[in-house]
Amino acid sequence: MSLHRVVALLSPPQSPFELGCAAEVFGTVLPDAPARYSFQICAERPGPLRTTIGYPMLVDAGLSALEEADTVIVPGWQPPSAPVPPTVIAALRAAHRREARIVAICTGAFVLAHAGLLDGRRASTHWRHADRLAATFPQIEVDPDVLYVDHGDVATSAGTGAGIDLCLHLVRSDHGAAYAAQIARNMVLPPHREGSQLQYAAQPAPARTDESLAPLLEWGTSHLDSPLTLDRLAERAGLSTRTLARRFTEQLGVSPGQWLLRQRLVAARVLLEQTDLPVEAIATRVGLTSAVNLRRRFRTHLGTTPGAYRRTFSQTRAADLRSSRVGSRW
């Protein structure tokens, strides 16, 4: 299988952390998983590139690198009001025309906006810069609250942390939930945050240790096959249902029901990828009660069916195909 080519387009001064979000997800080779991506950086002018923290970064590739990219990432643009060179705009438009996926992390959305790739579309950027993006480009529907927005051919994220969420989301779209979870685990990160989650907690101060939902979330994800009602979750947490719902909104930006459904769907995706269990059995194991319900949820939230998802991402099927090819040689 050929590697998916990811190219990060840099500009001075470049934020190393925003670049690192993409590099860690797409450029790190895992010891326990096959490589699926190749990662390269480029700039309008190869050579030393200033960074936001003082040291220069050596970039050895120019804009011609975009001509072979499957995904182009713009990891920030500093300052957001800085002009975008016509050569950069032309290179991005050309990559988009030949169906490369164009991705912006944080203020990289301003570059995509200058290139006209967000016209008439919904987009995200860091909440501090959302008003400026909306005012400068009124043809864009700027959503200041969400973590990321993915249109398939073009995607944008909020701040740097949300850039990691977007990159992991793209890996899930390319290679399934289990492979994305391996990358997240290597980065010591939660495997899945939906793009519709809030960029930041609603509460003005961090939650106290005894208010953290982490123990409840861990318990919930290990008991998906049981009836996890709001009352049962609240009882487990030792809280009223109203207090629990408020903490979910404050700390996660979603309701307990929304969070629980997402965990069930993630678990179902992994089982479809890694096992040959019937859809009915998977539905029961993840707490969605029936194959009919699982199919309905898949169609609503993923735009596909469990069967189609399994045919695309099944690791057991891929292993069987490899075995059959090896056997045919003998």
Side-chain angles (χ1 to χ4, degrees):
M1 181 177 65
S2 61
L3 298 181
H4 183 111
R5 292 161 294 188
V6 179
V7 178
L9 173 58
L10 312 187
S11 65
Q14 177 63 48
S15 166
F17 184 54
E18 288 167 355
L19 171 60
C21 294
E24 187 70 18
V25 172
F26 296 111
T28 299
V29 178
L30 302 178
D32 55 349
R36 304 288 177 87
Y37 298 96
S38 65
F39 185 78
Q40 182 182 15
I41 60 174
C42 75
E44 182 190 19
R45 296 183 179 87
L49 187 80
R50 289 183 298 116
T51 66
T52 56
I53 56 176
Y55 66 81
M57 182 185 304
L58 183 61
V59 181
D60 58 7
L63 294 177
S64 60
L66 302 190
E67 297 172 5
E68 301 297 326
D70 299 303
T71 293
V72 177
I73 298 179
V74 184
W77 190 261
Q78 298 297 333
S81 59
V84 180
T87 52
V88 170
I89 291 175
L92 285 173
R93 288 174 176 170
H96 184 257
R97 280 195 301 270
R98 62 171 185 77
E99 300 184 348
R101 180 170 58 191
I102 313 297
V103 179
I105 295 176
C106 195
T107 52
F110 284 81
V111 182
L112 273 59
H114 278 288
L117 302 182
L118 301 177
D119 289 357
R121 291 181 162 189
R122 184 166 155 262
S124 179
T125 191
H126 192 288
W127 60 269
R128 288 189 184 277
H129 303 292
D131 288 345
R132 172 180 287 178
L133 182 64
T136 307
F137 302 96
Q139 65 273 33
I140 300 173
E141 181 189 347
V142 179
D143 192 331
D145 295 324
V146 298
L147 293 177
Y148 55 83
V149 177
D150 179 17
H151 294 286
D153 61 325
V154 174
T156 53
S157 85
T160 48
I164 297 175
D165 293 311
L166 173 57
C167 290
L168 289 172
H169 160 77
L170 297 176
V171 172
R172 280 192 299 276
S173 299
D174 293 340
H175 299 294
Y179 186 74
Q182 285 181 288
I183 295 175
R185 187 164 56 249
N186 187 65
M187 298 172 69
V188 198
L189 288 173
H192 192 198
R193 288 205 299 172
E194 287 282 351
S196 57
Q197 283 190 219
L198 297 177
Q199 288 195 27
Y200 53 91
Q203 60 186 21
R208 298 194 305 269
T209 302
D210 61 355
E211 292 182 345
S212 172
L213 289 172
L216 178 65
L217 302 183
E218 183 177 355
W219 178 83
T221 53
S222 63
H223 290 79
L224 293 176
D225 58 343
S226 60
L228 295 178
T229 62
L230 178 59
D231 287 339
R232 188 179 181 196
L233 289 172
E235 180 182 3
R236 176 74 185 185
L239 302 170
S240 69
T241 55
R242 178 176 297 182
T243 299
L244 181 65
R246 174 173 56 79
R247 290 193 183 174
F248 263 83
T249 300
E250 290 173 347
Q251 296 183 32
L252 300 178
V254 294
S255 69
Q258 290 171 322
W259 174 84
L260 186 57
L261 176 58
R262 290 170 183 174
Q263 306 317 303
R264 295 191 195 283
L265 288 174
V266 169
R269 291 167 73 172
V270 172
L271 289 173
L272 286 167
E273 294 169 23
Q274 297 186 333
T275 76
D276 290 322
L277 286 171
V279 172
E280 186 75 40
I282 290 175
T284 301
R285 185 171 294 193
V286 303
L288 288 174
T289 67
S290 70
V292 172
N293 190 29
L294 177 59
R295 291 189 184 98
R296 180 169 62 87
R297 299 293 189 178
F298 254 65
R299 178 69 69 183
T300 299
H301 294 271
L302 301 176
T304 188
T305 65
Y309 185 88
R310 170 172 269 166
R311 285 191 294 273
T312 301
F313 294 115
S314 174
Q315 296 179 10
T316 56
R317 181 173 179 271
D320 291 343
L321 287 173
R322 285 193 296 270
S323 297
S324 66
R325 292 192 190 104
V326 171
S328 67
R329 298 193 191 110
W330 302 95

